[in-house]
């Protein structure tokens, strides 16, 4: 008997494992999804994850940089996908968008270069923005300088009519004695290559310096030094003991254009009305940041995982909500944030300027970087096929945490809780600070983090689809549950 009993048991587990191990499925050991959610749940497929992410991480959106064309195209495309999935525009003035003001300062790469004689030594992409915008053209002799914290004694106008190329152990700004007393005609500030940006997009209102200023990386500065018959390693050493000034015999021809404009960049905001009229004002927020690093120094950072994966999963959740016959009892606010990479600016802006009372927000479910298996020297990616970090879910409401655990029975992720250090590093933090219970699904870090190699290559589409399945169920259950009891103790405050 036993044996036959054994075969029956093996068949059963075989069936379930087969059911669970086909491409469109949850992880082993997952239990059946409650029938009232099944249709929507089953509309979430790996195939769909792949087709959506292929567009989001594609060349057309060029890494979705805040303040860049690529992001604006992605925001428009995202709003069209939401419309297809039955969502309503919930931004400003009946639009899909809530706009944030930014200032964009950018090197005019076409009209910026530096040449010696006929030779172009530096082209537009080699320059970075500093606290200046405008145009400068001039034929100048050059002074190369390495300065310490204790600036060199200078004659008045020591650098007038000259280009000053300077690396300093401490920050140089427009009020520096090198500039105020030296009065150079133009200044190129030398910094580590990784800190040179041809574009800056920020919300800071800065008064531009009067002296033409731009930035050069060490590599390009040494190239200019070599071309000017000064040592090719002049700028390599970080902190020299003493100030060094070298004047070059050759003149350079400088053309510098730095553009500046105020721009508006949108969060994308969609609304799906709840099925119970009396509860329709209460809403569950699901969100992910849509932006990434964009085009920097001529390289595109596609951001397939960061955060093309999260943006993909919330579109799949939108589709599941629209496909499933039974709609969420309370409404759904879906947000694709801008400027997360610039300091959570999009979500902070919404939390400070909510388009619906935050007191009616039942909880905020955030998804960021869920498209790869966590990988580090200590941990191979192969060990993280079905793991996910559930961050911050216990901080404000254990009830929400328990509900997420319940939802996970039908997906069966292995939850990890060892990344609370990122609690303040993604968009849920902006809502948690306002006391809204949150959960954060986070895949963990990999060697591709914030690199141009964060492409479609090596993306785990099953993890994206399963995050969508998990948060679809969490959302539907939360829309039934309503407001969550907040933890009595100061834990909530501790997380802030
Ligand atoms: Zn991110």
């Amino acid at each position: 008997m036993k044996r036959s009993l054994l075969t029956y048991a093996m068949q059963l587990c075989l069936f379930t494992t087969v059911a669970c191990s086909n491409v469109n499925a949850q992880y082993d050991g997952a239990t059946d999804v409650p029938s009232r959610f099944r249709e929507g749940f089953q509309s979430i497929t790996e195939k769909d994850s792949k087709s959506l992410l292929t567009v989001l991480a594609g060349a057309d959106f060029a890494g979705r940089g805040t303040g860049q064309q690529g992001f604006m195209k992605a925001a428009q495309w995202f709003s069209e996908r939401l419309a297809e999935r039955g969502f309503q525009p919930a931004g400003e003035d009946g639009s899909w968008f809530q706009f944030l003001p930014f200032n964009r300062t950018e090197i005019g790469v076409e009209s910026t270069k530096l040449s010696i004689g006929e030779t172009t030594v530096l082209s537009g992409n080699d320059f970075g923005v500093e606290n200046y915008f405008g145009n400068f053209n001039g034929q100048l002799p050059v002074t190369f300088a390495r300065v310490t914290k204790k600036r060199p004694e200078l004659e008045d106008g020591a650098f007038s009519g000259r280009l000053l190329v300077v690396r300093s152990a401490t920050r140089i700004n427009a009020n520096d004695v090198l500039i105020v007393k030296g009065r150079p005609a133009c200044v190129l500030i030398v910094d580590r290559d990784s800190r040179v940006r041809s574009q800056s997009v920020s919300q800071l209102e800065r008064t531009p310096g009067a002296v033409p200023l731009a930035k050069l990386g060490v590599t390009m500065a040494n190239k200019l030094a070599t071309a000017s018959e000064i040592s090719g390693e002049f700028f390599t050493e970080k902190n020299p003991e003493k100030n060094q000034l070298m004047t070059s015999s050759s003149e350079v021809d400088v053309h510098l254009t730095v553009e500046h404009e105020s721009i508006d960049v949108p969060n994308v905001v969609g609304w799906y009305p709840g099925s119970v009229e009396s509860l329709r004002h209460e809403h569950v927020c699901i969100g992910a940041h849509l932006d990434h690093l964009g085009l920097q120094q001529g390289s595109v950072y596609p951001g397939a995982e960061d955060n093309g994966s999260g943006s993909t999963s919330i579109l799949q959740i939108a589709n599941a909500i629209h496909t499933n016959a039974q709609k969420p009892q309370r409404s759904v606010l879906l947000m694709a944030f801008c400027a997360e990479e610039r300091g959570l600016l999009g979500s902070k802006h919404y939390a400070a300027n909510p388009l619906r009372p935050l007191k009616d927000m039942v909880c905020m479910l955030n998804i960021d970087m869920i498209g790869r298996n966590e990988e580090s020297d200590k941990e191979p990616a192969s060990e993280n096929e079905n793991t996910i970090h559930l961050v911050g879910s216990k901080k404000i409401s254990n009830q929400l945490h328990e509900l997420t655990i319940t939802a996970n029975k039908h997906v069966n992720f292995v939850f990890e809780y060892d990344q609370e250090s990122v609690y303040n590093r993604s968009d849920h933090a902006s809502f948690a600070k306002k006391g809204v219970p949150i959960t954060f699904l986070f895949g963990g870090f990999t060697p591709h983090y914030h690199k141009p190699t964060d492409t479609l290559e090596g993306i785990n589409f099953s993890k994206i689809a399963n995050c969508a399945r998990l948060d679809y169920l969490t959302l539907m259950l939360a829309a039934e549950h309503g407001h969550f009891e907040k933890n009595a103790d100061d834990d909530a405050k501790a997380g802030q």
Side-chain angles (χ1 to χ4, degrees), residues 289 291-292 306-307 340-341 368-369 425-426 449-450:
H289 74 91
D291 70 301
H292 190 51
D306 189 8
N307 189 25
E340 186 269 358
E341 303 288 4
D368 195 353
M369 293 178 60
R425 290 182 54 183
S426 190
Y449 177 66
H450 282 197

Side-chain angles (χ1 to χ4, degrees), residues 237-416:
E237 191 209 334
K238 191 162 178 352
N239 296 328
E241 265 127 57
K242 53 182 182 37
N243 295 311
Q244 294 164 24
L245 299 182
M246 304 277 286
T247 54
S248 141
S249 53
S250 49
E251 286 213 333
V252 298
D253 191 8
V254 183
H255 295 278
L256 176 64
T257 302
V258 186
E259 289 138 5
H260 179 83
E261 62 177 330
S262 307
I263 55 171
D264 291 320
V265 180
N267 286 326
V268 184
V269 194
W271 180 259
Y272 204 97
S275 59
V276 179
E277 188 154 2
S278 61
L279 299 173
R280 202 163 285 156
H281 62 291
E282 292 183 11
H283 52 280
V284 175
C285 178
I286 179 94
H289 74 91
L290 180 62
D291 70 301
H292 190 51
L293 303 176
L295 191 61
Q296 303 221 357
Q297 299 322 101
S299 307
V300 172
Y301 291 69
E305 188 198 19
D306 189 8
N307 189 25
S309 61
S311 304
T312 292
S313 68
I314 62 171
L315 275 180
Q316 293 191 269
I317 292 168
N319 192 55
I321 290 168
H322 197 45
T323 304
N324 200 65
Q326 182 169 324
K327 303 303 177 193
Q329 291 185 5
R330 289 171 173 79
S331 301
V332 175
L333 178 75
L334 187 146
M335 296 199 66
F337 302 107
C338 70
E340 186 269 358
E341 303 288 4
R342 307 260 167 194
L344 315 185
L345 298 178
S347 57
K348 278 180 185 163
H349 183 81
Y350 183 89
N353 312 281
L355 299 169
R356 283 177 175 63
L358 278 184
K359 68 172 179 46
D360 292 336
M361 188 180 284
V362 167
C363 61
M364 194 278 173
L365 312 178
N366 186 36
I367 305 178
D368 195 353
M369 293 178 60
I370 49 143
R372 292 185 197 283
N373 299 347
E374 182 170 31
E375 187 183 347
S376 66
D377 312 346
K378 294 193 287 310
E379 224 178 328
S382 56
E383 280 176 21
N384 288 308
E385 200 56 47
N386 63 344
T387 63
I388 199 83
H389 296 274
L390 179 58
V391 178
S393 52
K394 297 177 193 159
K395 285 260 199 253
I396 296 175
S397 170
N398 286 326
Q399 262 190 347
L400 174 57
H401 175 74
E402 291 312 320
L403 182 139
T404 310
I405 299 295
T406 305
N408 187 46
K409 287 199 179 80
H410 309 295
V411 177
N412 218 26
F413 267 116
V414 173
F415 282 149
E416 295 188 342

Side-chain angles (χ1 to χ4, degrees), residues 16-53:
T16 44
T17 44
V18 169
C20 289
S21 62
N22 75 33
V23 288
N24 268 345
Q26 314 94 288
Y27 299 116
D28 292 354
T31 58
D32 271 355
V33 175
S35 57
R36 68 186 187 283
F37 303 141
R38 195 164 299 151
E39 214 181 344
F41 188 91
Q42 287 173 344
S43 76
I44 298 171
T45 66
E46 276 70 0
K47 186 165 163 291
D48 211 19
S49 305
K50 187 165 188 176
S51 63
L52 290 167
L53 186 55

